[in-house]
Amino acid sequence: MGDHVVDLWTHPRLTAAVAGEDWAALLRTYRRLTGISQTKLGGLVGLVQPDVSDIERGRRRVTSVEVRQRIVSGLGIPPALLATVGERAEPPPVTGLALTGIAPDADLLARVTNAVGGAERVDTATLDWLDRLLAEHRRAEDIIGSRPLTDVMRQQLRTVVDLHSGARGDLADRVVRLAAEHAQFLAWMAQDQADSAAALAWYDRAHEWALEAGDAGMAATTLSMKAHMAWSGGLGTRCVRLAEAARWSVPGTSLGVRGMAAQMEARGHALNGAPDESHRLLDEAQTLIGQAAERPEDEPPWMYFYDETWFALQRGMAEMHLGSWSVAIGHLTGGLAALPDDYRRDKAWYRACLAHAAAGAGEAEQALTVALQAVPDAAAVGRPHAWNELHTTAAALLRLRAPEGRHLVAALKAHD
């Protein structure tokens, strides 16, 4: 397995774990990519299974130089990766920390909390224009990805917040609702860029504003999207709990919003290996989403993308977690065929998932063909999620000892 293991160390999650000396993430990711058990991994690094489990769960930290070296040697971490460890600059003191990322900054939070003086009176036409502008930015993000739009949307949110002090009555509620929609979009973009802390901060802000504005649909959506974050992090139970909260804590939502929450809960159960609960909720979600498609005018504007095509794709991902590879391939193939070509980022993601499902089914040639279709867009607008999924597909092919695994590794290296 030697050469195949070397190729695993090109996976972004492994290289990031080494660089950050995140031993828990390193062990979890290594096991996922190689398919070995905690017991077998423990044999490689000289640890008993309970110790491996405690490290992976964060209950035990790797502080011993000896244990660290056993992990390095036992897993064959390349020296070139280790050479960069310890060369990072020391973090600045907390008092000097500058929030240069996409999380809410202190100035923006102050503007949210306190009235902004000197604002012009707000009228319906202005808010209509901002609604249309936000809709256009959502659709642009489907094509070009989130990174080019982050700063634009932060400034646009500032504009919305500035309007609040000049709004009265129903218009004031509408400004808060519009601010919630902007915060939710910023949260999604942070999540797309794998900045979980910023995404959670924006989702919390969007949820609070939604409650303030009495917008049940947005309040439920923020909980569903936080469930999606938990699912992305492999936290099945948290995903289920947040999706349940989206369903019962915010009554009066639309059929589509309720369908989204049901399918998120189903994916959490699939992640936990509970097929009966997962399939029951997937069937319920399919009914809700089918009914919503009959009355699209009843759905909130941010649900423009969520239809039976998207549900088929997400059902495919649930089947992947359940190990039903051929069923997953069917759903993903059908969904991809109906997905518009200008959804570049999402095409890349679902193609990467389809490639992974094909590898799981032992269809190496199909996996490589689909993966190579995804590589250009995954490199351009699909980092980190689609890109990581392609590396995971390569690892699955290497485990099969299929030559297609080496071909995919080479294609990925060409874009790294």
Side-chain angles (χ1 to χ4, degrees):
M1 191 179 181
D3 290 340
H4 299 320
V5 172
V6 170
D7 286 326
L8 293 179
W9 295 103
T10 64
H11 196 289
R13 287 181 183 164
L14 280 179
T15 57
V18 174
E21 296 191 72
D22 186 345
W23 304 106
L26 188 147
L27 296 186
R28 287 196 307 268
T29 305
Y30 186 92
R31 285 203 310 107
R32 181 187 176 198
L33 296 177
T34 59
I36 66 174
S37 65
Q38 289 182 340
T39 300
K40 187 169 182 180
L41 186 144
L44 293 176
V45 301
L47 293 169
V48 295
Q49 182 274 330
D51 287 341
V52 174
S53 177
D54 285 347
I55 292 171
E56 289 189 3
R57 293 173 178 267
R59 295 174 179 169
R60 172 180 171 179
R61 299 184 64 189
V62 177
T63 57
S64 163
V65 175
E66 179 201 358
V67 173
R68 177 187 182 278
Q69 188 55 47
R70 291 210 306 266
I71 294 173
V72 169
S73 300
L75 301 186
I77 299 177
L81 291 183
L82 294 168
T84 62
V85 175
E87 295 179 0
R88 301 179 304 279
E90 289 296 316
V94 172
T95 54
L97 181 63
L99 291 177
T100 58
I102 57 178
D105 56 37
D107 174 62
L108 179 56
L109 291 179
R111 293 155 72 92
V112 168
T113 306
N114 304 304
V116 179
E120 297 294 330
R121 291 295 297 272
V122 181
D123 56 27
T124 300
T126 300
L127 298 183
D128 287 344
W129 179 80
L130 287 168
D131 272 334
R132 290 194 300 271
L133 191 59
L134 176 57
E136 290 301 320
H137 282 138
R138 285 195 187 106
R139 285 162 176 78
E141 194 261 349
D142 292 329
I143 300 168
I144 65 176
S146 59
R147 293 184 187 278
L149 289 172
T150 297
D151 289 340
V152 173
M153 295 312 302
R154 281 172 60 88
Q155 186 56 49
Q156 196 165 308
L157 175 56
R158 288 176 182 275
T159 299
V160 173
V161 170
D162 282 348
L163 293 175
H164 187 264
S165 63
R168 299 291 182 271
D170 291 342
L171 288 181
D173 288 340
R174 186 174 171 189
V175 170
V176 177
R177 185 178 296 111
L178 189 58
E181 291 187 34
H182 278 74
Q184 183 264 344
F185 187 38
L186 279 163
W188 163 252
M189 291 194 291
Q191 184 177 340
D192 182 57
Q193 296 170 39
D195 191 340
S196 298
L200 285 172
W202 283 120
Y203 278 134
D204 285 344
R205 177 55 58 190
H207 186 74
E208 182 177 327
W209 274 332
L211 293 176
E212 181 182 343
D215 190 336
M218 176 54 70
T221 297
T222 57
L223 292 172
S224 287
M225 296 308 295
K226 288 175 76 171
H228 178 72
M229 284 188 64
W231 172 83
S232 297
L235 304 175
T237 300
R238 177 174 169 80
C239 175
V240 168
R241 294 289 183 261
L242 286 167
E244 285 177 336
R247 303 183 73 200
W248 59 256
S249 68
V250 192
T253 56
S254 70
L255 291 167
V257 171
R258 286 155 54 195
M260 175 188 281
Q263 67 84 19
M264 276 312 318
E265 186 179 347
R267 283 161 63 187
H269 283 298
L271 198 59
N272 286 341
D276 292 342
E277 278 299 293
S278 181
H279 288 140
R280 179 183 66 78
L281 285 159
L282 286 170
D283 290 343
E284 180 181 338
Q286 187 160 13
T287 298
L288 288 167
I289 293 163
Q291 292 172 345
E294 297 173 4
R295 296 185 59 85
E297 66 276 9
D298 292 342
E299 296 302 316
W302 61 87
M303 293 289 289
Y304 68 96
F305 67 94
Y306 204 80
D307 56 17
E308 290 168 296
T309 293
W310 286 89
F311 177 73
L313 292 163
Q314 290 164 346
R315 186 157 199 158
M317 287 193 292
E319 296 295 351
M320 286 176 65
H321 285 304
L322 294 170
S324 301
W325 301 113
S326 60
V327 178
I329 288 171
H331 287 303
L332 291 168
T333 301
L336 274 165
L339 197 64
D341 288 336
D342 56 359
Y343 282 58
R344 290 180 63 203
R345 190 262 324 284
D346 298 300
K347 280 269 192 180
W349 165 244
Y350 289 114
R351 278 177 175 152
C353 291
L354 177 57
H356 185 179
E363 300 292 340
E365 185 176 348
Q366 180 188 5
L368 178 63
T369 299
V370 175
L372 292 179
Q373 290 176 339
V375 165
D377 281 343
V381 297
R383 297 174 189 262
H385 301 294
W387 196 245
N388 288 349
E389 191 72 7
L390 289 174
H391 276 276
T392 299
T393 301
L397 291 171
L398 291 171
R399 286 202 304 273
L400 294 173
R401 297 189 175 275
E404 288 84 357
R406 288 301 189 90
H407 290 309
L408 181 52
V409 168
L412 295 171
K413 283 183 178 179
H415 286 79
D416 270 332

